[in-house]
Amino acid sequence: PDVHPRGAQRTARVALARMLEGSPLGRELAAGWLRFLEPSELLDEVRRDFDVLRARSTDIDPAHASLGAVFESSWSLLGEAEREGMRRLAVFRGGCTRDSAVAVADVPLATLLALTNRSLLQRDGNTRFTMHTVVQHFADGKLAERPATAAELEDRHSEYFLALAQDTDRRIDTPDQGSAIARLAEDGANVTAALGRALDGRRTDTAYELVAALARYWRWRGRAHEALGWIDRLRSMVPTSVPTVAGVRVRLGEGRLLENTGRYAEADAAFDDALADAELLEDQDLVTMAHLEKAIIAWRRGDLGAARSDLLRVCDRYRGLGREASLAGALGNLGNVTRDAGDLDSAHACYDEAL
């Protein structure tokens, strides 16, 4: 192949280099194959099976003839606790913390440090441990040899990261917002893995709870298009006809994300659906949230009368509940609507009450 690839071949070569970063043998074996395959062809092969990176010469020590052979050699030198820890840590994606290693995989700090000393794990800051992509691939194979253990760990992994996502969602409306979002972002790959496994396994409740908890996080992180893709996949793979709290929250989150992308008509339809299901559930908090979102959409679309009507209803509801923080936010929106309608005195009154 061209030693100075361009376009798609250059992109593939960069992807290979990143995938094999930190693995001199891997890069050496890849370089040998690049005499026969285009970078994009080799990248496809490696993504299917890392063990394709095998030396073509028979003169090489078998223990160093492939990445799989090197891993098996390292595996044979591990103690039983280290082997079991390595196998169980394969459930994570993008690494783990000391806390999640214990909570999900029952792997203590001593084992994490032992595996780090053997270069099978890498330290990322003070509390995080990661696996190289190559090591992850072969560790996945070791975990797959024990299907019952893999299933148990995947369930525990989903429970742990669902709880983390739900805690982040609760803290978005608090002064801890920044740290909560940053903490969840560190485990973005684990959260995505948990959601993907829930969808693949058709675990309806877990999938809906995860998307409901992640919707505002995705919005704050500016990932509306990715989030809407997950919601489309959720709806197509796990259809539900019975209203649930999580289902209403997903539909509300979808509406907000559609609003962020300027798709106001679709957003309004999502809020209508959420409102109808919230009323069937007789969940007044969700009913109020749906009215608030519909008011904001009406305001953005220039229907100030409808926006004002919904916001007055929302404010009355929050006053009755004594929800001062929520009331302040609704009053701010009502002030904006009345200001845009030219009623400056009413707008000032709303802002004063909100303060």
Side-chain angles (χ1 to χ4, degrees):
D2 184 355
V3 295
H4 299 294
R6 298 179 182 179
Q9 297 306 324
R10 177 181 175 82
T11 301
R13 193 159 193 158
V14 169
L16 269 171
R18 287 177 176 168
M19 187 180 295
L20 299 173
E21 183 181 5
S23 174
L25 175 62
R27 296 175 75 170
E28 180 180 343
L29 294 172
W33 276 103
L34 285 173
R35 292 197 296 270
F36 305 95
L37 297 174
E38 292 288 351
S40 59
E41 294 174 317
L42 181 57
L43 179 62
D44 288 342
E45 293 295 329
V46 171
R47 282 174 171 165
R48 278 192 288 268
D49 182 7
F50 265 104
D51 223 28
V52 73
L53 294 178
R54 179 180 296 275
R56 298 170 62 82
S57 171
T58 58
D59 298 332
I60 295 177
D61 180 354
H64 296 89
S66 71
L67 291 177
V70 171
F71 180 82
E72 288 297 337
S73 178
S74 298
W75 182 263
S76 68
L77 299 175
L78 298 178
E80 186 54 38
E82 293 168 337
R83 289 186 190 180
E84 186 63 15
M86 195 70 199
R87 177 183 287 112
R88 296 175 75 85
L89 290 172
V91 74
F92 293 102
R93 290 295 181 268
C96 61
T97 63
R98 289 178 291 178
D99 291 341
S100 60
V102 172
V104 173
D106 295 322
V107 177
L109 178 60
T111 302
L112 292 172
L113 294 176
L115 291 170
T116 302
N117 288 337
R118 291 183 179 274
S119 299
L120 291 170
L121 294 180
Q122 299 165 330
R123 290 291 294 272
D124 182 5
N126 293 325
T127 63
R128 196 163 188 83
F129 296 82
T130 61
M131 271 189 205
H132 188 279
T133 306
V134 174
V135 176
Q136 178 81 58
H137 170 79
F138 293 109
D140 285 347
K142 295 298 182 183
L143 180 56
E145 292 171 359
R146 297 187 180 178
T149 299
E152 176 208 345
L153 291 175
E154 287 180 3
D155 286 345
R156 291 172 63 176
H157 180 275
S158 292
E159 291 171 6
Y160 183 90
F161 288 103
L162 171 58
L164 179 62
Q166 290 173 330
D167 180 63
T168 300
D169 188 52
R170 285 189 292 269
R171 292 168 62 192
I172 280 178
D173 293 325
T174 74
D176 294 334
Q177 179 192 96
S179 60
I181 288 176
R183 170 68 186 86
L184 187 60
E186 287 182 349
D187 269 309
N190 277 311
V191 173
T192 298
L195 179 53
R197 288 165 180 164
L199 289 168
D200 291 342
R202 296 192 174 276
R203 297 197 299 273
T204 306
D205 292 344
T206 300
Y208 267 92
E209 292 287 353
L210 265 168
V211 172
L214 290 168
R216 292 201 299 167
Y217 163 79
W218 281 326
R219 188 184 184 199
W220 275 99
R221 295 282 292 178
R223 293 163 60 181
H225 293 288
E226 175 190 350
L228 289 169
W230 281 112
I231 292 171
D232 285 344
R233 185 178 169 193
L234 173 67
R235 188 174 295 110
S236 66
M237 296 186 68
V238 203
T240 180
S241 57
V242 179
T244 64
V245 170
V248 173
R249 294 185 62 223
V250 167
R251 200 68 171 121
L252 286 170
E254 182 180 12
R256 296 183 189 113
L257 292 160
L258 289 165
E259 176 192 343
N260 273 22
T261 60
R263 295 155 65 180
Y264 295 144
E266 293 173 76
D268 199 27
F271 295 140
D272 281 338
D273 290 346
L275 177 58
D277 284 349
E279 288 174 338
L280 286 173
L281 292 168
E282 298 182 348
D283 188 317
Q284 292 306 308
D285 278 343
L286 290 176
V287 167
T288 304
M289 289 172 62
H291 277 298
L292 176 59
E293 298 300 342
K294 282 182 62 62
I296 293 172
I297 284 291
W299 174 41
R300 294 193 186 284
R301 299 177 77 180
D303 190 348
L304 301 182
R308 183 175 182 277
S309 177
D310 272 326
L311 284 168
L312 286 170
R313 181 181 300 151
V314 169
C315 289
D316 286 343
R317 172 66 180 167
Y318 285 146
R319 285 193 190 94
L321 292 173
R323 300 262 293 273
E324 293 185 354
S326 298
L327 174 59
L331 284 166
N333 285 316
L334 182 57
N336 292 339
V337 170
T338 54
R339 177 203 62 203
D340 290 352
D343 187 352
L344 299 184
D345 289 340
S346 295
H348 280 298
C350 291
Y351 295 143
D352 286 342
E353 186 180 352
L355 290 172

